[in-house]
């Protein structure tokens, strides 16, 4: 089999037999979203490195406290979901996952945007919502292919201008932070779909000046219209 789903309310570890499935491509060990369950697995074992053909690894809603360095050997991994765990950090070896294009880290215990993420040139979807991140490193500019960046429910007081270099961004969610202003170059994120897709950008729950003059003077007319309608609501 190339796809395997392991489920169970009391799931606490990866069955050892799994590591013999060297042709496995998709491994899912997450409860169904609508179930509201949380599994009990605290560790992703080092033996995960044996699954060299994995392209998708789903381990949401467990109790993971750390990710082993061996995760960096999964060179074919394209999608990794680690939301709703107890992670405080990520191993630097994750920077070796150059095929990774979707990474979910929402609702963990991270306090800063991990540096290894900025080495992943193929990343197109990054979700680090609800981690209380306070700063974003300037090295985020290396994520040149990034299309979706979700930063809701964090502690951001400012948005670094380096984010405005991510010209392929189509979706940017910044709701429920502490942002008072935006970089003057924010209007250069021309791929944000202001006119037709409300979900392409989210600022709700921030003490922003509305409309922010430094943005309206640089960006398309849709930006000003968006903020004015947001202010009226």
């Amino acid at each position: 089999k190339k796809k395997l789903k392991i489920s169970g309310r009391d799931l606490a570890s990866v069955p050892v037999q799994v590591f013999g499935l060297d042709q496995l491509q998709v491994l899912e060990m997450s409860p169904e979203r609508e179930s509201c369950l949380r599994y009990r697995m605290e560790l992703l074992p080092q033996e995960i490195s044996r699954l060299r053909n994995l392209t998708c690894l789903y381990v949401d809603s467990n109790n993971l406290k750390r990710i082993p360095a061996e995760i960096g050997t999964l060179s074919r991994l394209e999608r990794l979901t680690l939301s709703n765990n107890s992670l405080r950090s990520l191993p630097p070896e994750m920077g070796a996952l150059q095929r990774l294009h979707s990474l979910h880290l929402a609702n963990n215990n991270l306090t800063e945007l991990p540096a290894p993420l900025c080495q992943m040139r193929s990343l197109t979807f990054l979700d680090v919502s609800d981690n209380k991140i306070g700063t974003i490193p300037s090295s985020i500019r290396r994520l040149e292919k990034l299309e979706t960046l979700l930063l809701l429910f964090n502690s951001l007081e400012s948005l670094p201008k380096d984010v405005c270099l991510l010209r392929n961004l189509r979706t940017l969610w910044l709701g429920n932070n502490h942002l008072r202003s935006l970089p003057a170059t924010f209007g250069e994120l021309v791929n944000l779909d202001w006119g037709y897709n409300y979900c392409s950008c989210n600022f709700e729950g921030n003490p922003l000046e509305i409309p922010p003059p430094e943005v309206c003077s640089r960006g398309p007319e849709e930006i000003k219209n968006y903020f004015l309608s947001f202010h009226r609501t």
Side-chain angles (χ1 to χ4, degrees):
K1 289 186 176 182
K2 293 187 177 182
K3 181 177 181 179
L4 176 64
K5 178 177 174 61
I6 303 174
S7 61
R9 182 186 296 269
D10 297 321
L11 180 65
S13 62
V14 185
V16 65
Q17 296 90 339
V18 170
F19 303 120
L21 304 174
D22 55 5
Q23 296 303 308
L24 196 63
Q25 295 179 352
V26 179
L27 176 57
E28 184 173 352
M29 296 178 288
S30 302
E32 300 294 338
R33 289 180 180 269
E34 59 272 14
S35 71
C36 297
L37 287 177
R38 195 178 184 108
Y39 294 164
R40 297 189 295 112
M41 187 162 55
E42 295 188 0
L43 296 175
L44 196 60
Q46 298 176 346
E47 288 79 6
I48 195 72
S49 62
R50 298 180 188 175
L51 305 179
R52 296 296 178 90
N53 287 299
L54 272 188
T55 59
C56 299
L57 177 58
Y58 302 91
V59 229
D60 295 300
S61 298
N62 277 273
N63 193 28
L64 293 177
K65 300 184 185 305
R66 69 179 183 86
I67 302 298
E70 286 75 10
I71 193 77
T73 64
L74 302 179
S75 59
R76 298 188 179 183
L77 204 61
E78 298 177 0
R79 186 177 179 87
L80 176 60
T81 67
L82 297 167
S83 296
N84 303 315
N85 280 288
S86 302
L87 297 172
R88 293 185 177 276
S89 63
L90 296 176
E93 287 79 6
M94 281 188 64
L97 302 178
Q98 293 302 307
R99 292 192 185 184
L100 199 68
H101 60 71
S102 182
L103 177 59
H104 297 221
L105 292 167
N107 196 24
N108 276 282
N109 295 321
L110 303 172
T111 55
E112 60 181 0
L113 195 60
L117 304 190
C118 302
Q119 303 170 22
M120 300 176 185
R121 296 297 181 89
S122 297
L123 205 61
T124 60
F125 186 103
L126 176 57
D127 180 3
V128 286
S129 303
D130 201 9
N131 276 292
K132 303 309 175 190
I133 290 172
T135 59
I136 301 175
S138 60
S139 51
I140 195 172
R141 69 175 68 183
R142 298 177 189 169
L143 301 179
E144 52 197 35
K145 295 184 180 180
L146 196 63
E147 295 181 1
T148 301
L149 177 58
L150 307 185
L151 290 163
L152 294 86
F153 293 97
N154 280 291
S155 301
L156 294 173
E157 295 185 357
S158 63
L159 190 68
K161 60 182 181 180
D162 300 276
V163 171
C164 302
L165 297 174
L166 303 176
R167 302 297 166 78
N168 287 310
L169 271 186
R170 296 183 180 275
T171 303
L172 175 60
W173 287 7
L174 295 165
N176 294 92
N177 279 280
H178 307 304
L179 297 173
R180 293 190 175 277
S181 63
L182 297 172
T185 54
F186 191 86
E188 296 178 10
L189 294 175
V190 295
N191 284 315
L192 292 178
D193 188 0
W194 297 94
Y196 303 99
N197 185 5
Y198 173 81
C199 292
S200 69
C201 208
N202 176 287
F203 295 98
E204 294 182 359
N206 283 287
L208 281 169
E209 294 181 8
I210 302 173
E214 70 275 20
V215 172
C216 294
S217 63
R218 294 289 297 273
E221 186 67 21
E222 289 86 354
I223 291 183
K224 184 175 181 179
N225 292 338
Y226 172 85
F227 276 106
L228 286 174
S229 62
F230 174 60
H231 183 50
R232 286 193 292 268
T233 59

